[in-house]
Amino acid sequence: MKPLYREILTVGITTGVVLLTQDRPFPWSLWTAVAASLLLPVRLRWPWLASLLCIPAIAGGLGWAPALVAQYRLGRKEKSIPVQLFWVVFMTVAATLTVLLTESIPLGPLLLTTAFTFGLAAAPTALGALVTARKDLTQSLYEARRARAAELEAQETSARAAERARIAREIHDAVGHHATLIAVESAALAATASDPAVRETALRLRALAKESLAEMRAALGLLNSDTSYPSLQELIDRARVAGVSVTLSETGDAALSPAVSRALFRVVQEALTNVTKHAPGATVTVTVDRATPVRVSVVNGPGELPPLGDGGGAGLHGLSERVRLAGGTLTTSYRADGGFSVSAVLPPGKSKVDGQDSTFGGGARSSANA
């Protein structure tokens, strides 16, 4: 409903209630109540003024209809509880004081009348304050959810960036090593060759290798890293030494690209790390099928000891990015028995990291994109 129509309806209903009231205690009761009803729109800007205009109408006995509307608005907009209480008491005094001046009633009925009047003035005020509090709480919860979503997105973005940086460093190390050997051996060939054409070709190869290495370093923006990977069996043996009950099952003999091999290693490593932190004492089964596509699965049962970690971190986010860049997909899920499952499907050869043909040029182009 439009605001204008809502105000017309509010003023019309309250004025109609006043006009339909037959009992008019004082000659001025009717016109003060009608005036308070007609002036209700001022509550939208000055709620206290609307309550003040209702005081004479309440004293006249016909002002409760506009007073309820004015007090509800006061409760919605006025944040100070003492101010809200002041207007409730003010209306209560205005209503009971008229009764005391015009009638003689016993103390008991007077106290009952005062309590009823206080409740009548306080109820719409409290309702308005509760509606405002609920609205503010809803807004706060929404902001908290939005902040949490932004934080999770930032963590995931950071995990992707970190994983890409690690992959870039590995590409730099592997390709840079071979490019350096080409440059060194070309320089040696140029120094020992007696044929000018061979010497010129060797020097040209050395220059191209150095230029390629410089361009790759500039594109990656990384320094050399000494990251190295043990074999999968060595990783399993280390986990067993650390007290993890793990079983390894390997099938298939498909040749894997370096990036896919590293991604497979990372899947198993991260899964075993999570078991150690979050499910100590659990039994773990590692299954690797080196077929087409390559499938790796790490399944653990429920832990027998309290978790060592708090469930935080971005390991799985980074691992998902690593697998995605290798051209595969990662799936994680909780099991019905209380355990956890990590599985990945990877291509046996080509990947986004390896490029088109696992050569120097293909790897450099893909690493720059990564």
Side-chain angles (χ1 to χ4, degrees):
M1 184 182 294
K2 294 183 178 180
L4 178 60
Y5 296 156
R6 184 170 61 246
E7 285 305 303
I8 293 175
L9 184 61
T10 300
V11 171
I13 291 177
T14 54
T15 304
V17 171
V18 171
L19 294 176
L20 291 175
T21 304
Q22 299 297 323
D23 185 15
R24 300 171 184 178
F26 306 102
W28 43 270
S29 297
L30 180 61
W31 66 264
T32 54
V34 171
S37 299
L38 294 177
L39 294 175
L40 275 177
V42 302
R43 79 191 189 283
L44 299 177
R45 185 167 185 179
W46 301 294
W48 62 270
L49 182 57
S51 296
L52 180 62
L53 293 174
C54 292
I55 296 298
I58 289 177
L62 299 182
W64 282 110
L68 294 177
V69 178
Q71 285 298 105
Y72 174 78
R73 181 67 180 183
L74 183 73
R76 287 293 308 273
K77 296 301 180 183
E78 180 57 57
K79 302 296 184 181
S80 175
I81 295 180
V83 174
Q84 296 176 2
L85 185 60
F86 167 78
W87 286 105
V88 171
V89 173
F90 197 1
M91 288 189 174
T92 303
V93 171
T96 55
L97 185 60
T98 303
V99 176
L100 287 175
L101 294 177
T102 57
E103 299 180 20
S104 178
I105 58 176
L107 180 60
L110 178 62
L111 293 178
L112 184 61
T113 301
T114 302
F116 177 79
T117 305
F118 182 85
L120 194 60
T125 308
L127 179 61
L130 288 175
V131 171
T132 298
R134 181 181 181 276
K135 182 179 179 181
D136 293 342
L137 180 59
T138 301
Q139 182 66 24
S140 298
L141 292 175
Y142 170 76
E143 294 294 338
R145 286 195 296 268
R146 188 170 64 176
R148 178 59 178 167
E151 180 184 359
L152 291 176
E153 183 177 358
Q155 290 179 354
E156 188 169 350
T157 301
S158 176
R160 288 198 189 104
E163 190 64 22
R164 287 180 179 180
R166 285 194 293 269
I167 295 173
R169 285 194 296 268
E170 292 169 4
I171 294 174
H172 173 273
D173 289 345
V175 178
H177 173 72
H178 294 295
T180 301
L181 289 179
I182 292 174
V184 171
E185 292 186 14
S186 299
L189 179 61
T192 58
S194 58
D195 190 345
V198 174
R199 187 164 53 252
E200 182 181 355
T201 301
L203 291 175
R204 187 166 60 251
L205 286 176
R206 179 176 181 271
L208 289 174
K210 291 178 64 178
E211 183 180 355
S212 299
L213 185 60
E215 289 180 356
M216 183 190 65
R217 285 172 174 168
L220 298 179
L222 298 171
L223 297 177
N224 286 336
S225 169
D226 57 358
T227 302
S228 60
Y229 291 92
S231 66
L232 197 59
Q233 185 60 52
E234 289 176 341
L235 179 63
I236 299 298
D237 292 339
R238 291 180 185 178
R240 288 170 177 166
V241 171
V244 181
S245 176
V246 55
T247 302
L248 173 63
S249 174
E250 290 187 275
T251 57
D253 56 357
L256 306 183
S257 66
V260 172
S261 296
R262 288 190 291 267
L264 188 151
F265 179 88
R266 284 293 193 190
V267 169
V268 178
Q269 184 184 51
E270 181 66 25
L272 292 177
T273 300
N274 287 340
V275 171
T276 304
K277 291 171 56 179
H278 307 302
T283 301
V284 186
T285 301
V286 179
T287 304
V288 178
D289 183 9
R290 302 176 186 270
T292 304
V294 179
R295 298 180 183 274
V296 56
S297 173
V298 183
V299 179
N300 65 272
E304 299 179 356
L305 301 174
L308 302 178
D310 57 0
L316 290 179
H317 292 290
L319 185 62
S320 177
E321 181 70 4
R322 160 77 67 133
V323 173
R324 187 187 70 81
L325 289 176
T329 58
L330 180 73
T331 304
T332 61
S333 63
Y334 288 95
R335 295 167 53 84
D337 61 356
F340 196 73
S341 172
V342 178
S343 59
V345 179
L346 297 162
K350 297 179 181 179
S351 69
K352 295 182 180 180
V353 173
D354 288 325
Q356 299 300 320
D357 54 6
S358 296
T359 63
F360 178 81
R365 286 193 298 271
S366 64
S367 65
N369 293 333

